[in-house]
Amino acid sequence: MTFMNAPFSPGDGSRIVEWNPGQRVIGAQDVYQLVILALPGFSQLGLSSFVDPLRLANSVCDRTFFKWTLASLDGKPVECASGFALSVNSDFSSAGECVQTGKGPNMVIVCASERVEKQASTSLSKVLRLCRRHGVPITALGTATWLLAESGLLENTACTIHWDKRAALSETFSSLQVTDHLFVRDTHLVTCAGEFASFDLVMELISERLGKETALAVCRHTTAEQWRSPSDRQWTINVAEASICKPVADVIRIMEEHFEDPLPLRDIAKCVGRSQRQIERLFRRALSSSPMRYYLHSRLSRAKRLIEQTELPVVEISIACGFASASHFSKCFRQAFGMNPSACRAGR
């Protein structure tokens, strides 16, 4: 398996060095090698946000500290969600053999599509099991966390996934500790929300291996001021709402944490130290909506995602979104989306 991006004199990648937060290794013999497993429909934004900073780190240092190769299921070009076809260097079977030799890689990256629920395969599961057996760290970008969950790799491990799949992941795999952080790491497993959070993740890797000065130099090249902390939370409010004030944002956060057990406005007001009247006024000004109408729409939007992305019974979805009865849920859903939940599922 040939590793890409070696514009300068390559180092010896035979010694595997794990991504250890407490260890900074930049010796002459250390080249950090990555294998990227790309499934059809993967996010080009999420992958580029991870890989391009590695290329820049090599350029800034005038040395190859990072190498990577791209693999598809069958070794043929793989198409991303934007419709671009990327050529690859190998297939998943070859990637598994590379892991099994014990000579590399240092990390395996998994990139999946929005339809990740249908992307599990024997070849992928074999690679992931080999990584686990040989202690090779696995990173899941965006929706790929779902595939790690299906493979049983996330038991008793905190994880994250892109916010659009968070509800479906939590309800489908009820034993998981799903957070809304940008990324979550332990020694051998990293899960990342993907998209621009991939940049935050890789900047941590660059900073820890090459030092903060190198990481800041990479930031300057990308015109990014800085990178975010892994514990920062994903922002699920759309662009049109991005100018809202902090009190409204705090209220929305509390609402998102209590979809299954909706809170009355008086309790939310106590949590943020505001009066109900103040919150109502702020919501009208920022969102042209009352707080409780916004709350209801958010719960219904979560229900719609669960209907579209899972096979959970509609009754379970209604309960998970805080509705006391299926009939009330169906009525509210129809008023919001112009169809009942069953018709929404049938037409997905």
Side-chain angles (χ1 to χ4, degrees):
M1 181 173 290
T2 303
F3 287 87
M4 301 169 62
N5 191 40
F8 311 114
S9 175
D12 178 4
S14 61
R15 183 164 68 84
I16 300 302
V17 182
E18 292 181 1
W19 179 7
N20 184 337
Q23 179 184 28
R24 183 171 151 216
V25 183
I26 54 174
Q29 301 304 310
D30 296 319
V31 176
Y32 202 86
Q33 300 179 340
L34 305 98
V35 170
I36 300 163
L37 307 180
L39 292 154
F42 71 91
S43 167
Q44 178 68 25
L45 174 61
L47 180 58
S48 296
S49 296
F50 189 91
V51 172
D52 245 28
L54 298 177
R55 174 186 64 82
L56 289 169
N58 288 342
S59 179
V60 164
C61 296
D62 199 31
R63 257 200 53 196
T64 301
F65 284 112
F66 299 102
K67 293 184 183 180
W68 54 89
T69 190
L70 192 67
S72 67
L73 183 62
D74 55 8
K76 297 178 181 179
V78 59
E79 191 173 286
C80 69
S82 302
F84 299 113
L86 270 67
S87 23
V88 301
N89 305 86
S90 65
D91 56 25
F92 286 4
S93 295
S94 299
E97 291 171 7
C98 181
V99 171
Q100 200 163 17
T101 62
K103 295 182 179 179
N106 296 92
M107 182 184 289
V108 166
I109 317 291
V110 187
C111 303
S113 78
E114 291 182 6
R115 300 294 181 184
V116 66
E117 301 90 345
K118 301 182 183 299
Q119 290 196 306
S121 68
T122 303
S123 297
L124 177 62
S125 295
K126 183 177 180 181
V127 178
L128 297 179
R129 287 197 303 270
L130 285 169
C131 287
R132 188 175 195 174
R133 188 181 309 155
H134 292 275
V136 175
I138 303 168
T139 291
L141 297 183
T143 62
T145 299
W146 191 286
L147 298 171
L148 270 59
E150 280 193 318
S151 299
L153 299 178
L154 296 179
E155 296 299 323
N156 302 314
T157 303
C159 64
T160 192
I161 194 169
H162 188 275
W163 67 264
D164 187 53
K165 292 287 185 184
R166 186 185 173 201
L169 184 72
S170 298
E171 296 299 330
T172 304
F173 304 95
S174 57
S175 64
L176 296 187
Q177 306 169 40
V178 186
T179 75
D180 68 346
H181 293 171
L182 295 178
F183 56 94
V184 177
R185 294 167 45 186
D186 67 14
T187 306
H188 290 98
L189 284 175
V190 183
T191 54
C192 176
E195 309 304 84
F196 286 127
S198 301
F199 175 82
D200 304 304
L201 171 61
V202 80
M203 291 309 299
E204 288 279 314
L205 172 59
I206 293 169
S207 179
E208 289 166 2
R209 291 193 60 80
L210 304 182
K212 192 168 184 179
E213 287 185 8
T214 300
L216 290 172
V218 170
C219 267
R220 284 194 294 273
H221 274 271
T222 62
T223 69
E225 184 178 348
Q226 59 186 7
W227 62 96
R228 296 169 292 177
S229 164
S231 60
D232 282 1
R233 303 172 69 181
Q234 297 180 50
W235 190 245
T236 62
I237 300 173
N238 67 40
V239 175
E241 301 163 350
S243 61
I244 65 172
C245 61
K246 186 178 183 301
V248 172
D250 290 342
V251 169
I252 292 172
R253 290 292 187 201
I254 292 169
M255 290 176 175
E256 290 175 347
E257 291 169 358
H258 292 273
F259 280 154
E260 189 169 348
D261 55 335
L263 298 176
L265 184 57
R266 64 176 179 275
D267 290 350
I268 295 174
K270 289 178 183 177
C271 290
V272 298
R274 300 268 176 164
S275 70
Q276 296 184 53
R277 188 169 297 178
Q278 281 179 311
I279 293 174
E280 288 170 346
R281 186 167 57 249
L282 289 169
F283 263 73
R284 280 196 302 271
R285 185 185 305 158
L287 304 174
S288 300
S289 172
S290 72
M292 301 317 285
R293 187 180 298 117
Y294 181 92
Y295 201 177
L296 174 62
H297 183 74
S298 297
R299 288 159 53 210
L300 288 168
S301 295
R302 182 179 196 259
K304 189 170 184 285
R305 287 196 295 274
L306 288 173
I307 287 169
E308 293 173 339
Q309 298 173 4
T310 75
E311 300 299 330
L312 290 171
V314 171
V315 172
E316 288 187 23
I317 290 174
S318 68
I319 294 171
C321 295
F323 291 89
S325 72
S327 59
H328 178 56
F329 167 63
S330 184
K331 178 183 177 182
C332 292
F333 193 95
R334 187 166 54 251
Q335 289 175 342
F337 304 114
M339 67 181 82
N340 62 35
S342 299
C344 178
R345 173 161 283 172
R348 66 185 178 180

